[in-house]
Amino acid sequence: MMERNERSERGGKGKGNVQRGTWTAEEDIKLVSYVKAHGDKKWRELPAKSGLNRCGRSCRLRWLNYLRPGIKRGNISEDEEHLIIRLHNLLGNRWSIIAGRIPGRTDNEIKNHWNTHLSKRSLSIDDLNRKQTHSSDNVSALPPAQTAPGSSTEPPVSTPAEQARDSWSSWILENAVSELDTEQFFSFLPVSDSVGTDFGLDLDFGFPCHDSKFEVYRECLDPQIGGEAFESEDLEQLLDFQAKLLDTE
DNA sequence: AATCAGTGCAACCGCCGGTCT
DNA sequence: GAGACCGGCGGTTGCACTGAT
């Protein structure tokens, strides 16, 4: 696809003669060299000091979504799509948190991809499960999102992943944390290097994989799913547990 | 070849919460 | 404590591209 720099001059000059619209290659170079020298903070004063005729917010956006090192460009893989769908099922439109779990992708990119591709397909966790069950015998499906823990229809625990999930679930139930919100919970999880293996597409190992944690979180703590509010204050204990968990892994 | 509608995505905008003065 | 400032977030816009007619 043609670079946008070669296309429109959208917006033209904005308020106070500040340049708007598509960034040029020269502007990109100025921004990158400035950020490399001075860091990616103080966006307000960045334009004046870097010689850019842009507002600070525009500079920040350009850096974060396009110029920052480590940004993946190009097609979003099927694994990444699955991950986006799962996380969106859990978190809703919290794009920055979702992006934080998908290395190299920005919230803007994920949001765009969702709005233009995935939302139209309106895939659910169940759809994903069916797809994955058919595609690989070695891949465990997530339970339906609405399944409550301990319900009478719950199948017997058998696989190591399921046992691990159960133990994680029990621990949370026993050491429930009232202050725990979604963001804190996800901050416990290490960012994955490899989406396919790190995010539970292969669940056949003996410790709670991330998807299990997500699901337990959803079942136990997400009020929209009917999770109960917990009366506890022991966030430290959960952090300790996480540290042990990561050591074991 | 021309026109039109749909699509993809970079960029902008308004709002909000945290920090500083 | 109050107001100003700033960074971050999610929603929306606008335009080039693409395919259908």
Side-chain angles (χ1 to χ4, degrees), chain A residues 36-79:
Chain A
K36 277 184 177 172
H38 300 93
D40 59 349
K41 299 291 175 190
K42 305 275 183 187
W43 293 110
R44 187 87 164 188
E45 58 192 53
L46 186 150
K49 291 187 176 176
S50 64
L52 282 163
N53 187 26
R54 294 270 182 177
C55 70
R57 303 177 79 193
S58 180
C59 294
R60 176 184 162 271
L61 207 65
R62 181 66 177 172
W63 172 256
L64 291 178
N65 288 334
Y66 206 88
L67 300 173
R68 185 164 48 105
I71 296 285
K72 271 190 215 168
R73 314 289 322 163
N75 294 341
I76 290 182
S77 70
E78 203 171 332
D79 278 354

Side-chain angles (χ1 to χ4, degrees), chain A residues 134-204:
Chain A
H134 285 117
S135 67
S136 169
D137 290 337
N138 196 32
V139 173
S140 299
L142 283 172
Q146 278 73 22
T147 303
S151 77
S152 59
T153 56
E154 205 171 16
V157 172
S158 55
T159 70
E162 284 166 336
Q163 287 169 14
R165 192 189 103 199
D166 202 49
S167 103
W168 173 255
S169 177
S170 301
W171 188 88
I172 288 192
L173 288 168
E174 287 164 13
N175 302 276
V177 178
S178 62
E179 297 299 318
L180 187 64
D181 67 12
T182 316
E183 203 157 340
Q184 284 175 311
F185 186 85
F186 280 94
S187 75
F188 297 159
L189 308 178
V191 175
S192 64
D193 296 324
S194 159
V195 168
T197 57
D198 201 25
F199 258 96
L201 297 178
D202 176 4
L203 304 186
D204 197 16

Side-chain angles (χ1 to χ4, degrees), chain A residues 2-39:
Chain A
M2 189 188 285
E3 291 291 317
R4 278 194 83 91
N5 289 350
E6 301 167 22
R7 301 190 332 200
S8 71
E9 283 291 321
R10 179 187 174 201
K13 298 274 186 181
K15 294 175 190 168
N17 242 13
V18 172
Q19 183 68 33
R20 296 174 60 175
T22 308
W23 281 67
T24 65
E26 293 95 297
E27 286 177 313
D28 282 346
I29 291 167
K30 280 184 184 175
L31 179 56
V32 170
S33 58
Y34 182 88
V35 170
K36 277 184 177 172
H38 300 93

